[in-house]
Amino acid sequence: MSESVTSSRVIAIDGPAGTGKSTVSKLLAQRVGAHYLDTGAMYRAATLAVQRAGVSPDAPDSIAAVVDDARIELRADGSGGSRVFLDGEDVSAPIRTDEVTNAVSAVSAVPAVRSKMVALQRIHAVNDFVVVEGRDIGTVVFPDAQVKIYLTATPEARALRRHRQNLSAGRDSDFEQVLESVNRRDHLDSTRTVSPLRPADDAVIVDTSDLSLEQVLDELAGLVQTRTGGAV
């Protein structure tokens, strides 16, 4: 498939964990009439497969073998979002546990895993208008995306959001532990040798630390309208 065919209809949203990428991307897709592609969920599903196989996060060859055999799918949920399936099982809830969160960076850093996920992401975008969020969408997956956005926020702001999400979901949560996890994941994501986390050279950087969800959404929708010339 020619990457340029799909990239022209891609809105790429990258950034570290806890910036609100998933929520903003889903709502932005609804506003601009696009489909939402949660690439982070795909990596989480891969991580869950590795954990269920009992493979250590320090064993890249074994990780690659497990993920190569795993069947990971995103299916539309009817509300603009998607459900994540691993070998036919809906794992949309299990992939959000702290155990998966703490291991996903290590699994994502394995080159063979990233290669498989990138191929799947490109397949999902064929002949479609999509909002795609992740950590290397504008730099690696769709370097020719029509719109590139990099969401960021302070570690403290991102940890507080994650902490509140955990509590709202009924999960035990300690803010200091969440902050430590955010900082650790930032370090792993930004220093990995394959597709390190960084803004694309032509991405618009948006700091969400002191912005409400509506403020972020309005800013991004305006940006998409300006770049694409379409009404939102």
Side-chain angles (χ1 to χ4, degrees):
M1 143 188 125
S2 172
E3 184 180 296
S4 61
V5 171
T6 63
S7 295
S8 64
R9 292 179 54 77
V10 169
I11 300 169
I13 300 182
D14 290 309
T19 53
K21 292 193 307 296
S22 296
T23 300
V24 168
S25 298
K26 182 175 180 179
L27 293 173
L28 180 63
Q30 292 174 352
R31 182 177 290 197
V32 303
H35 289 118
Y36 164 60
L37 181 58
D38 182 357
T39 65
M42 300 170 77
Y43 283 104
R44 285 175 172 272
T47 302
L48 183 62
V50 169
Q51 291 179 331
R52 287 181 171 180
V55 171
S56 167
D58 299 322
D61 289 344
S62 298
I63 288 174
V66 169
V67 176
D68 185 55
D69 287 338
R71 181 162 52 91
I72 297 170
E73 303 171 273
L74 291 181
R75 301 179 190 173
D77 64 4
S79 65
S82 57
R83 307 292 294 178
V84 190
F85 288 77
L86 173 61
D87 296 328
E89 175 193 350
D90 186 342
V91 294
S92 302
I95 63 171
R96 302 297 174 183
T97 64
D98 286 342
E99 290 77 14
V100 171
T101 297
N102 292 334
V104 67
S105 289
V107 173
S108 301
V110 176
V113 173
R114 299 204 72 81
S115 294
K116 177 172 180 173
M117 295 299 106
V118 168
L120 287 175
Q121 290 155 23
R122 289 175 176 166
I123 288 171
H124 274 286
V126 171
N127 300 322
D128 203 354
F129 178 33
V130 292
V131 175
V132 190
E133 63 101 345
R135 284 170 174 73
D136 62 353
I137 307 304
T139 55
V140 175
V141 185
F142 296 108
D144 298 323
Q146 188 172 19
V147 182
K148 297 181 186 178
I149 298 161
Y150 188 88
L151 293 186
T152 187
T154 65
E156 290 77 14
R158 291 184 284 124
L160 183 59
R161 290 169 185 164
R162 183 61 52 83
H163 174 61
R164 288 172 173 169
Q165 287 174 353
N166 288 340
L167 294 178
S168 296
R171 296 190 291 265
D172 291 336
S173 188
D174 177 88
F175 173 76
E176 293 300 329
Q177 290 182 353
V178 174
L179 178 58
E180 180 182 352
S181 175
V182 165
N183 285 324
R184 181 175 63 251
R185 187 168 182 187
D186 283 353
H187 176 74
L188 289 170
D189 286 346
S190 61
T191 59
R192 67 188 179 216
T193 57
V194 179
S195 303
L197 172 67
R198 65 173 180 84
D201 293 338
D202 54 347
V204 177
I205 299 177
V206 178
D207 190 324
T208 69
S209 299
D210 300 316
L211 299 179
S212 68
L213 175 59
E214 280 304 314
Q215 288 173 321
V216 174
L217 185 60
D218 286 344
E219 182 167 347
L220 300 195
L223 178 63
V224 171
Q225 182 177 26
T226 299
R227 294 291 179 90
T228 64
V232 295

